[in-house]
Amino acid sequence: MESIKHIIEAKIESGTLKQRPRWHFTLIHTGIWVATLLAVILLAYIIAFVLLVGKEKHFIDLVLLGPQGIGRVFQYIPYPLVGISMLLIVVLFGIAHQYAFVYRYSTLQTLGILGLATISIAVGFALFDKEMNFARLGEKRNIPIMKSMHQRYRQPSNEITRGVIIGIEGNTLLVKDREGTLYYVPRLHTGNEERVGAAVILFGPRQGDHIAPFGIRPDPETRPMPELAPAQQN
């Protein structure tokens, strides 16, 4: 039985198989590594960007508010970016499946390595980049696709208001937002959040100077004003 080496040599000698120079394979492998690296970085960026959108839209607070809040989360999810993420995963899987044998790893092992690299980049920036500058790339620079992403998915929502409760009149909360605008908000009687001086996030549509909230959550990023409490009490 002839070895594969002898078969290949025979085909090269007969002219049925064309021998390619070494630089050809080096170029292909370099292209594969560059494409893989770019796919991993792009996927990590998309993950970081989705995390940034989730932070600004308060996904965790919305989920804790129940079905209505979860419904809002599904409205805010940037589905095109999620679709691109899925496509990139398919591309990475294809690369892993096609070339895993070259590096003596199984497809699953290769895909696992690429997946860990992607997650490590995204989580690394999330942990050590408190301002999430990696996810904010293209926010201020005139980069066509990235600029439109920020404008579309990070625009302020009409259903999220952050402020401080400055007074309570019967069943109405008086809330002043960060810009100093006063809103009248019906009480939900949720407990400790509805007290004078508390910093809160209101989830619900704004209509003029009124807000119809379906949920109220404490706001850890806004300075509370406990000094107001003695002056205004229910």
Side-chain angles (χ1 to χ4, degrees), residues 4 9 18 22-23 35 40-41 51 72 91 111 115 124 137 144 151 168 174 180 184-185 187 192 206:
I4 295 177
E9 289 176 347
K18 186 178 180 180
R22 185 171 182 177
W23 66 262
V40 168
I41 293 175
L51 290 175
R72 293 300 195 283
V91 169
L111 191 63
L137 288 175
Q151 291 175 343
I168 300 177
L174 306 180
Y184 298 89
V185 184
R187 296 190 66 176
N192 196 39
R206 294 191 294 266

Side-chain angles (χ1 to χ4, degrees), residues 30 67 103 112 119 123 130 149 187 196-197 199 210 219 226-227 230 232:
T30 302
Y103 305 102
I119 294 172
V123 172
K130 300 300 183 183
M149 280 171 46
R187 296 190 66 176
V196 175
H210 287 74
D219 184 2
E227 63 272 14
Q232 290 278 353

Side-chain angles (χ1 to χ4, degrees), residues 104-175:
R104 297 182 181 179
Y105 288 107
S106 69
T107 300
L108 187 60
Q109 287 175 320
T110 306
L111 191 63
I113 293 171
L114 295 176
L116 286 175
T118 303
I119 294 172
S120 298
I121 293 173
V123 172
F125 276 106
L127 291 176
F128 300 105
D129 184 12
K130 300 300 183 183
E131 299 298 323
M132 302 189 76
N133 292 314
F134 179 55
R136 296 177 188 272
L137 288 175
E139 178 182 27
K140 297 180 180 178
R141 298 178 182 177
N142 192 21
I143 305 176
I145 297 178
M146 300 174 76
K147 183 79 172 180
S148 60
M149 280 171 46
H150 288 280
Q151 291 175 343
R152 179 173 181 179
Y153 297 114
R154 295 183 55 213
Q155 59 182 332
S157 172
N158 184 53
E159 294 192 349
I160 300 176
T161 306
R162 304 171 71 170
V164 176
I165 300 175
I166 63 171
I168 300 177
E169 296 180 355
N171 285 321
T172 301
L173 301 175
L174 306 180
V175 179

Side-chain angles (χ1 to χ4, degrees), residues 82-111:
V82 174
I84 293 174
S85 300
M86 296 299 103
L87 180 61
L88 287 173
I89 291 174
V90 172
V91 169
L92 291 175
F93 181 82
I95 292 174
H97 180 72
Q98 187 71 23
Y99 298 99
F101 73 93
V102 177
Y103 305 102
R104 297 182 181 179
Y105 288 107
S106 69
T107 300
L108 187 60
Q109 287 175 320
T110 306
L111 191 63

